[in-house]
Amino acid sequence: MAPKSDSVEGIVLNFVNEQNRPLNSQNVADSLQKFNLKKSSVQKALDALADSGRISSKEYGKQKIYLARQDQFDIPNSEELSRMKEENAKLQQQLEEQKRAISEVEGEIKTLQSNLTLEQIRAKEAKLKMEVEEMEDKLNNLRGGVTLVKFEDRKVVEEMYSDRINQWRRRKRIFKDLWDAITENLPKDLKEFKEELAIEYDEDVGVSFQSLCDLMQHRKKRARCQ
């Protein structure tokens, strides 16, 4: 008589047949914890099923292994195995195609998530419009001849600039006097001597002292004309 499906033996038998692989009592007890079965009850059911011939068992030392009876399963012939392999290959191909499709969809989702929302686009548009309006106001002020720098601030900068130019001119004159005195009776080539001392003139580094002086004079002339 077959055990009831909801009895301990029925639950254990169904599990062993479903797994159809070698199992010990611990494997079965761990897998059937959802049924609140104790290991002792599982062990008892396994032994009873083995004794009644419903499952197979074999001892390996101190451990006992249980396995579903193989004569209850339909064993496919070579043609059926070939067909099953072909179907498995088709299913594997379909699985790969599904994986690729899922990957593409996930990529599209990430792209969409990285894009700005309509609300964010509107906020950015409003900010850019405000920046454009501010720049247009500044441009209109410049076109209209509005002075953007206060007279006091400009005067401070001009005085500082003039002071630096005067210091530069004075130091150039001091250097020239010293250089002329040192090299007056020097037998060496002056160009080679200058290179030995690593001395560089303004022109050697692309600086025109006169153009900077002219810039200041030009600024003064403009100020008198205004």
Side-chain angles (χ1 to χ4, degrees), residues 158-173:
E158 289 177 350
E159 289 176 352
M160 185 183 298
Y161 185 85
S162 179
D163 179 63
R164 298 296 185 273
I165 290 293
N166 290 333
Q167 289 185 29
W168 192 349
R169 182 183 292 107
R170 185 166 55 253
R171 291 180 183 182
K172 281 173 67 70
R173 186 168 54 253

Side-chain angles (χ1 to χ4, degrees), residues 155-206:
K155 186 177 180 181
V156 170
V157 173
E158 289 177 350
E159 289 176 352
M160 185 183 298
Y161 185 85
S162 179
D163 179 63
R164 298 296 185 273
I165 290 293
N166 290 333
Q167 289 185 29
W168 192 349
R169 182 183 292 107
R170 185 166 55 253
R171 291 180 183 182
K172 281 173 67 70
R173 186 168 54 253
I174 293 172
F175 170 78
K176 186 177 184 306
D177 293 340
L178 289 172
W179 180 257
D180 290 343
I182 293 171
T183 60
E184 183 177 0
N185 298 315
L186 189 71
K188 297 182 64 174
D189 181 76
L190 294 183
K191 184 177 180 182
E192 292 180 358
F193 185 50
K194 186 184 75 169
E195 291 178 353
E196 288 178 8
L197 297 177
I199 295 174
E200 291 180 330
Y201 291 164
D202 296 339
E203 296 76 12
D204 296 332
V205 293

Side-chain angles (χ1 to χ4, degrees), residues 168 202-203 206-213:
W168 192 349
D202 296 339
E203 296 76 12
V207 175
S208 174
F209 176 75
Q210 188 57 46
S211 65
L212 295 174
C213 293

Side-chain angles (χ1 to χ4, degrees), residues 10-44:
I11 294 171
V12 172
L13 178 61
N14 288 336
F15 176 76
V16 173
N17 287 335
E18 286 175 359
Q19 296 297 307
N20 192 22
R21 60 184 178 87
L23 299 165
N24 59 31
S25 58
Q26 189 64 54
N27 298 145
V28 179
D30 291 342
S31 300
L32 298 180
Q33 285 183 356
K34 60 183 179 180
F35 294 102
N36 296 322
L37 299 179
K38 295 182 180 179
K39 184 181 177 182
S40 58
S41 301
V42 171
Q43 182 67 67
K44 184 178 179 180

Side-chain angles (χ1 to χ4, degrees), residues 77-191:
N77 54 35
S78 58
E79 292 181 0
E80 290 174 332
L81 283 174
S82 298
R83 187 179 69 253
M84 291 171 67
K85 287 181 180 179
E86 291 177 0
E87 291 178 353
N88 183 61
K90 290 180 180 178
L91 290 173
Q92 288 293 334
Q93 184 178 356
Q94 292 176 5
L95 178 61
E96 291 300 322
E97 291 174 354
Q98 290 294 326
K99 286 182 178 179
R100 284 196 295 271
I102 291 172
S103 180
E104 291 176 0
V105 171
E106 289 177 344
E108 291 178 1
I109 291 174
K110 288 181 179 179
T111 301
L112 292 172
Q113 288 176 340
S114 63
N115 292 335
L116 296 175
T117 63
L118 182 59
E119 183 178 352
Q120 291 172 329
I121 292 173
R122 288 174 176 170
K124 191 170 185 178
E125 181 185 15
K127 182 180 178 182
L128 290 173
K129 284 183 177 179
M130 187 178 298
E131 291 177 355
V132 170
E133 290 176 357
E134 290 177 356
M135 288 187 286
E136 286 179 346
D137 290 341
K138 289 182 180 179
L139 183 59
N140 291 331
N141 289 335
L142 290 172
R143 286 173 177 169
V146 176
T147 303
L148 300 180
V149 180
K150 293 181 180 179
F151 174 77
E152 294 80 5
D153 296 337
R154 185 178 65 190
K155 186 177 180 181
V156 170
V157 173
E158 289 177 350
E159 289 176 352
M160 185 183 298
Y161 185 85
S162 179
D163 179 63
R164 298 296 185 273
I165 290 293
N166 290 333
Q167 289 185 29
W168 192 349
R169 182 183 292 107
R170 185 166 55 253
R171 291 180 183 182
K172 281 173 67 70
R173 186 168 54 253
I174 293 172
F175 170 78
K176 186 177 184 306
D177 293 340
L178 289 172
W179 180 257
D180 290 343
I182 293 171
T183 60
E184 183 177 0
N185 298 315
L186 189 71
K188 297 182 64 174
D189 181 76
L190 294 183
K191 184 177 180 182

